[in-house]
Amino acid sequence: MASDSSPASEDTFQAPVCCSARYNLAVLAFFGFFVLYALRVNLSVALVDMVDSNTTSADNVTSKECAEHSAPVKILRRQTGKRYQWDAETQGWILGSFFYGYIVTQVPGGYIARKVGGKRLLGFGILGTAVFTLFTPIAADFGVGALVVLRALEGLGEGVTFPAMHAMWSSWAPPLERSKLLSISYAGAQLGTVVSLPLSGIICLYMNWTYVFYLFGIVGIIWFILWISLVSDTPETHMRISQYEKEYILSSLRNQLSSQKSVPWVPMLKSLPLWAIVVAHFSYNWTFYTLLTLLPTYMKEILRFNIQENGFLSALPYLGCWLCMILSGQAADNLRAKWNVSTVCVRRVFTLIGMIGPAVFLVAAGFIGCDYSLAVAFLTISTALGGFCSSGFSINHLDIAPSYAGILLGITNTFATIPGMAGPVIAKSLTPGNTIAEWQTVFCIAAAINVFGAIFFTLFAKGEVQNWALSDYHGHRN
């Protein structure tokens, strides 16, 4: 195996950051994932205006354990959009249908990106999602079935994006800049959530819900034009990269990439370091998706505080996560480059912070009773600390097998999509009476899964390129 003991010795020189092709790629990817998550979460806000309020009021069971905080504020809304008679179960199917498409294209996305390059796959994945988003109002008019199919198709488009991006970074990211470059590009997802949640609410308030889909769909098409025009799959094919930067990237990756055409599926699937990432990714997403889908319910039905009435508070956890992602990326690469800390040590420490921290604050939020301001603070800290995982297990695929990073991410993200489908359903079944005690159980289960994932990753993760990921893995590498 390629040694991991002294990462700082990998590169003797470093190309400038300012105006570099690799950081331009990171910034464009940032806006791509910004658009992607805006397209993903806008429906959860618009759905409130799409559904006839009389249909859902009978479905909600509001707990009486906590006192009402304030008199409800009646906001004068423009009710110009069409309304639909969808009950809570139907809404659940509409919101969940995205994941049924999303899970299908993870591994194929990684495989195709390795064959044809990630640029076109990622670009057309986001373009397809944007175009389908434009048709959401028409699909809603056709009925629930059409809308469910459309959302599943959006999931198919988004499913290829993360594996395609990982495949691109395997050719573009020097090992000692991986944490920085990947945390910049993927942080767009968190900021997309931060901006689109309140912005979708404002659009619904002053226009109507159809414009939520039109606006974000058009932004996605504009991004696609910029992406296709300015980005290249590899440094060798980039038109405007400096010779100095090209040599810097290629020399840093010289001993890390495999030239073999076939994918070593059997040794890959037998690799314990890969399964360490799978377990961590699954565990992290259990908590993330449970909070993403059920936090508004918990705030409204238990703490008697409607988070949807305050766009800033609904976005606050993801703003914290975005900040932690950016800061952890800088810190992780500094530890490796300047302090000579081994890659595996950095990945383990950041994963522990990003999974144990959220577990502690999640349990604490469940046990503080009706103090809703403290609950908001704890849940925000819980989500924010998860951002440290972006420099932990999230990019470990590139450490252990850069040539197959897209495929590895496809494998781990397939497993990590299951919590998006199962977690909220299980949480709903555990809270039939909507009591604080029931919600404590939900939070404790999520926290326990998080802690298990962190420990498993710490025990079995690796930070160096694995033998099977190198072209001469039958040869003499040790």
Side-chain angles (χ1 to χ4, degrees):
M1 290 179 208
S3 174
D4 183 53
S5 57
S6 56
S9 63
E10 287 171 7
D11 309 304
T12 53
F13 65 95
Q14 184 171 347
V17 168
C18 183
C19 304
S20 64
R22 65 194 188 283
Y23 277 88
N24 287 345
L25 172 61
V27 170
L28 271 167
F30 172 91
F31 285 110
F33 285 98
F34 178 99
V35 169
L36 200 67
Y37 266 63
L39 294 169
R40 184 189 291 199
V41 304
N42 59 10
L43 180 65
S44 61
V45 179
L47 200 63
V48 176
D49 259 20
M50 293 170 73
V51 176
D52 190 337
S53 56
N54 296 327
T55 313
T56 53
S57 56
D59 296 316
N60 295 330
V61 182
T62 302
S63 168
K64 302 297 182 205
E65 289 181 84
C66 297
E68 192 71 67
H69 293 293
S70 57
V73 179
K74 283 288 177 191
I75 301 172
L76 208 61
R77 303 176 78 89
R78 290 168 61 91
Q79 307 287 10
T80 54
K82 193 169 180 182
R83 294 303 185 96
Y84 304 97
Q85 303 290 321
W86 295 334
D87 60 19
E89 188 181 352
T90 303
Q91 292 174 55
W93 276 105
I94 292 167
L95 289 170
S97 55
F98 170 88
F99 291 106
Y100 292 94
Y102 189 70
I103 199 170
V104 170
T105 47
Q106 295 292 327
V107 177
Y111 184 77
I112 294 166
R114 177 170 159 76
K115 293 291 184 186
V116 305
K119 171 188 169 177
R120 278 170 293 174
L121 191 64
L122 192 149
F124 282 105
I126 296 180
L127 177 67
T129 307
V131 170
F132 286 131
T133 298
L134 290 171
F135 286 103
T136 303
I138 299 171
D141 259 357
F142 273 104
V144 173
L147 187 56
V148 165
V149 170
L150 187 83
R151 286 293 289 180
L153 288 171
E154 285 187 37
L156 285 173
E158 287 205 18
V160 303
T161 52
F162 281 94
M165 192 73 249
H166 251 48
M168 284 189 77
W169 282 127
S170 68
S171 301
W172 272 100
L176 290 179
E177 293 184 40
R178 272 181 194 146
S179 306
K180 280 195 281 256
L181 289 165
L182 271 82
S183 63
I184 289 169
S185 53
Y186 293 140
Q190 304 302 329
L191 202 63
T193 306
V194 168
V195 173
S196 65
L197 283 173
L199 184 58
S200 297
I202 290 165
I203 294 168
C204 287
L205 185 61
Y206 291 105
M207 299 163 82
N208 71 52
W209 62 262
T210 58
Y211 290 98
V212 171
F213 303 107
Y214 297 147
L215 174 75
F216 289 120
I218 290 165
V219 170
I221 292 168
I222 293 168
W223 172 87
F224 170 77
I225 294 166
L226 292 171
W227 176 260
I228 290 296
S229 309
L230 300 173
V231 165
S232 296
D233 275 309
T234 62
E236 295 99 317
T237 56
H238 198 283
M239 300 294 286
R240 292 169 299 280
I241 191 172
S242 70
Q243 190 63 31
Y244 188 72
E245 184 185 8
K246 187 195 295 185
E247 286 175 10
Y248 162 62
I249 295 170
L250 296 179
S251 65
S252 71
L253 295 170
R254 191 161 289 131
N255 297 323
Q256 299 230 336
L257 298 176
S258 168
S259 57
Q260 58 185 351
K261 298 293 180 206
S262 60
V263 177
W265 289 107
V266 174
M268 180 188 289
L269 293 173
K270 285 182 177 177
S271 174
L272 193 55
L274 169 60
W275 289 101
I277 306 172
V278 168
V279 172
H281 204 165
F282 177 94
S283 304
Y284 173 84
N285 273 20
W286 187 282
T287 301
F288 181 80
Y289 283 132
T290 299
L291 282 180
L292 186 69
T293 50
L294 296 179
L295 191 57
T297 305
Y298 180 73
M299 291 293 182
K300 185 179 180 183
E301 312 300 344
I302 299 295
L303 300 177
R304 314 286 291 276
F305 171 75
N306 192 349
I307 203 167
Q308 288 171 334
E309 286 171 6
N310 192 322
F312 177 70
L313 274 180
S314 62
L316 194 61
Y318 305 102
L319 183 62
C321 191
W322 173 72
L323 282 169
C324 282
M325 284 180 78
I326 297 292
L327 294 173
S328 69
Q330 299 291 322
D333 280 346
N334 278 338
L335 284 170
R336 295 164 69 225
K338 293 180 181 172
W339 296 88
N340 217 18
V341 179
S342 69
T343 302
V344 70
C345 182
V346 169
R347 301 294 178 238
R348 286 170 176 166
V349 168
F350 279 71
T351 299
L352 283 169
I353 296 170
M355 293 182 76
I356 303 288
V360 170
F361 281 98
L362 191 60
V363 171
F367 282 88
I368 55 156
C370 295
D371 187 339
Y372 83 87
S373 56
L374 206 54
V376 170
F378 283 173
L379 291 166
T380 297
I381 295 168
S382 178
T383 306
L385 286 175
F388 280 89
C389 286
S390 67
S391 296
F393 74 82
S394 286
I395 61 172
N396 193 223
H397 318 73
L398 279 156
D399 299 322
I400 64 169
S403 293
Y404 308 103
I407 295 172
L408 295 194
L409 183 68
I411 293 168
T412 68
N413 218 13
T414 297
F415 285 96
T417 304
I418 295 169
M421 298 186 282
V425 175
I426 291 170
K428 282 277 190 190
S429 68
L430 289 171
T431 55
N434 241 345
T435 64
I436 291 175
E438 289 170 351
W439 278 94
Q440 286 171 352
T441 305
V442 170
F443 289 159
C444 285
I445 289 170
I449 291 170
N450 242 23
V451 170
F452 172 75
I455 293 169
F456 193 91
F457 181 82
T458 302
L459 291 175
F460 300 113
K462 297 289 183 190
E464 66 274 0
V465 182
Q466 299 298 289
N467 287 336
W468 51 264
L470 294 159
S471 47
D472 58 348
Y473 76 95
H474 292 302
H476 63 273
R477 284 188 176 268
N478 53 23

